[in-house]
Amino acid sequence: MSSVTEPFADNHHDGVAADQLVDEERKNFLLILAAFRLYKTTSMISVDQREMYMNSLSKNHQYLLSKYRESLHKIRDAILTNYQVINVMVKTIDQLFLNDNESTYRDNNGEFGVKVGQNEIERVQVTLKQIARDWSADGEMERQQCYQPIIDEVTRLFPPNDTDVENVRILVPGAGLGRLMYELSYIGYFCEGNEFSLFMLIASNFILNRCLIENEYKLYPYVHQYVNNLNRGDQTRAITFPDVSPTQRPPKKGTMNMVAGDFLEIYKEADYWDCVATCFFIDCANNIVDFIETIYNILKPNGVWVNLGPLLYHYSDVMGEHSIEPTFEDICHIMKQVGFVIEKCATGVRTLYSQNPKSMHKSEYESVFFTCRKSAQKSECNGNSNKQMNGHTK
């Protein structure tokens, strides 16, 4: 029977229940909650600073900048609209974790007792752009580049017409706002997403469980981009979301579930998953070998790992964090030594990530895309993995 389980259930495998979270984790949650609630205040400060500087200019310059001043007024209106959506979003936080006392994460009378820094402010802004990427028509091209190759490979490996798809267990670590997880479960697979970021979890909980109508909400995801705008309206261009409503268009047969927490801490049960699908994920580790070994361990014998993404290595330049940054050549060697058989691999796969389609500046990755299969015995490192697949070559 088709079902969609409430995201963020905390009773999966060895996951720690929310009521057992230490005080430091609670403070982190309240910090992120404060960042969302202070969105309007922090965003308006940026507009105020520009307007104050403009007011200090000569009358002639102010006259020449009259259209720019009008744009600042529109930016304020866009920020207010975003804040209205955020207010609706954070109202669902008490139901974020199942099996939890709903007061666990509430602040006392609105007093957070935490200081919101620039990093948290920027993460809220990034979350708005992620909504555009995963759940709006604006992100369709990026989803075709990043998610569709994974979906096509999974359906090739587990054909829906010839497979009991609801019994095919697929894990999507680093699920973000849950679009890839949703698309796989909609086909009929048992699909579970895992996400560590509470920014992503708050937003995905809202979209997956509370958005009842397609394109119900309006956002201005690019309003904080003050540079590289060709036309005045580019910064205040709106998107609507969700382009599909997961509550009105639930999976036909499959199960969809989201689990919050650290991938390495939660997923330890060996030989459990038929497939692990990762997109822009493996470079989020301090030590990528931990990810490779964990994925190998949790896959069933003959299970497959499908991956697409770059090697940005998120911790490589973060103060106070340790990081190693193996090349893809190194990673291929490590995967083979661990026991994976690389069945398909392509490099130079052109992918965008959370880009403003109207911006004068865009960053593009030449990602890697591979399929590995778990073997019963460790294999020797041999052969050249850079072979053609789906039209992409090194």
Side-chain angles (χ1 to χ4, degrees):
M1 181 176 178
S2 175
S3 64
V4 180
T5 60
E6 191 83 2
F8 320 121
D10 53 23
N11 55 357
H12 178 77
H13 304 312
D14 297 323
V16 180
D19 57 5
Q20 297 174 323
L21 291 174
V22 297
D23 186 58
E24 192 63 32
E25 291 173 309
R26 181 180 183 275
K27 288 180 180 178
N28 181 56
F29 187 94
L30 292 179
L31 172 64
I32 293 166
L33 178 57
F36 276 109
R37 287 184 171 167
L38 290 172
Y39 168 81
K40 181 178 72 172
T41 300
T42 56
S43 299
M44 288 301 187
I45 288 173
S46 182
V47 185
D48 291 343
Q49 290 172 341
R50 287 168 168 81
E51 194 161 44
M52 288 174 62
Y53 175 61
M54 189 170 62
N55 290 339
S56 72
L57 303 178
S58 68
K59 294 296 183 182
N60 184 52
H61 284 188
Q62 289 189 48
Y63 172 75
L64 294 173
L65 288 165
S66 59
K67 293 296 184 182
Y68 179 72
R69 187 185 294 276
E70 291 176 9
S71 295
L72 292 180
H73 294 325
K74 292 179 180 178
I75 289 170
R76 289 181 186 278
D77 291 340
I79 289 169
L80 290 175
T81 298
N82 287 352
Y83 186 59
Q84 291 171 357
V85 175
I86 287 172
N87 274 337
V88 177
M89 189 184 302
V90 298
K91 286 180 180 178
T92 67
I93 286 176
D94 279 346
Q95 292 80 42
L96 186 58
F97 295 98
L98 293 179
N99 307 324
D100 179 42
N101 185 320
E102 66 177 13
S103 65
T104 300
Y105 294 107
R106 285 181 180 171
D107 57 297
N108 297 320
N109 300 318
E111 297 296 328
F112 293 101
V114 294
K115 183 178 180 181
V116 176
Q118 186 62 32
N119 180 63
E120 288 76 36
I121 293 170
E122 292 175 355
R123 291 292 299 277
V124 173
Q125 297 171 4
V126 167
T127 301
L128 300 182
K129 292 179 69 176
Q130 283 289 112
I131 292 175
R133 169 183 164 85
D134 264 24
W135 293 100
S136 82
D138 241 36
E140 176 62 25
M141 184 183 74
E142 288 193 19
R143 294 196 297 272
Q144 285 294 319
Q145 287 181 331
C146 299
Y147 298 159
Q148 197 59 49
I150 295 174
I151 295 169
D152 291 344
E153 183 69 355
V154 169
T155 55
R156 184 189 70 84
L157 294 164
F158 305 97
N161 294 332
D162 303 323
T163 309
D164 189 9
V165 287
E166 56 263 44
N167 291 322
V168 175
R169 294 193 182 104
I170 301 176
L171 175 66
V172 181
L177 296 189
R179 186 60 183 258
L180 177 59
M181 173 193 73
Y182 166 76
E183 294 295 345
L184 289 170
S185 63
Y186 184 76
I187 294 170
Y189 301 107
F190 177 100
C191 193
E192 180 165 290
N194 166 240
E195 180 55 50
F196 181 77
S197 168
L198 284 169
F199 290 96
M200 296 292 105
L201 291 168
I202 289 170
S204 61
N205 176 60
F206 172 63
I207 294 170
L208 294 172
N209 290 322
R210 302 294 184 263
C211 290
L212 304 179
I213 303 171
E214 290 184 5
N215 297 310
E216 181 177 3
Y217 295 97
K218 179 188 291 185
L219 269 183
Y220 296 86
Y222 314 115
V223 71
H224 305 289
Q225 182 177 316
Y226 288 91
V227 299
N228 288 312
N229 292 309
L230 190 63
N231 299 304
R232 293 189 204 104
D234 291 348
Q235 187 174 357
T236 51
R237 187 169 61 86
I239 61 100
T240 56
F241 78 96
D243 61 323
V244 296
S245 170
T247 58
Q248 295 298 312
R249 183 178 175 261
K252 300 173 183 176
K253 297 180 180 178
T255 298
M256 180 175 66
N257 188 40
M258 182 79 91
V259 174
D262 187 329
F263 169 67
L264 295 176
E265 293 298 321
I266 294 174
Y267 295 94
K268 297 181 178 180
E269 184 173 341
D271 305 333
Y272 186 85
W273 299 94
D274 298 287
C275 177
V276 175
T278 53
C279 185
F280 280 71
F281 172 71
I282 60 174
D283 57 355
C284 295
N286 299 84
N287 175 10
I288 195 172
V289 181
D290 282 337
F291 275 10
I292 295 171
E293 289 183 334
T294 297
I295 292 170
Y296 184 85
N297 180 60
I298 65 177
L299 280 171
K300 294 178 181 178
N302 209 40
V304 292
W305 172 22
V306 182
N307 173 79
L308 187 149
L311 294 175
L312 181 61
Y313 290 116
H314 292 244
Y315 292 108
S316 65
D317 57 356
V318 177
M319 290 186 63
E321 290 283 355
H322 296 292
S323 178
I324 57 170
E325 300 84 19
T327 67
F328 184 57
E329 182 182 20
D330 296 329
I331 291 170
C332 289
H333 173 75
I334 294 165
M335 290 191 297
K336 292 174 182 177
Q337 293 299 308
V338 166
F340 279 112
V341 175
I342 301 175
E343 295 188 341
K344 291 187 175 183
C345 184
T347 58
V349 181
R350 300 176 65 183
T351 49
L352 297 172
Y353 189 88
S354 199
Q355 298 294 300
N356 179 353
K358 297 289 187 178
S359 175
M360 296 165 66
H361 175 264
K362 297 180 181 67
S363 298
E364 184 179 65
Y365 294 100
E366 291 193 352
S367 294
V368 296
F369 182 27
F370 61 76
T371 299
C372 294
R373 190 174 296 274
K374 178 176 178 176
S375 62
Q377 297 178 344
K378 291 186 178 181
S379 60
E380 297 298 325
C381 181
N382 55 68
N384 183 355
S385 65
N386 295 320
K387 52 191 176 183
Q388 184 173 351
M389 183 178 73
N390 290 347
H392 300 295
T393 57
K394 183 178 180 180

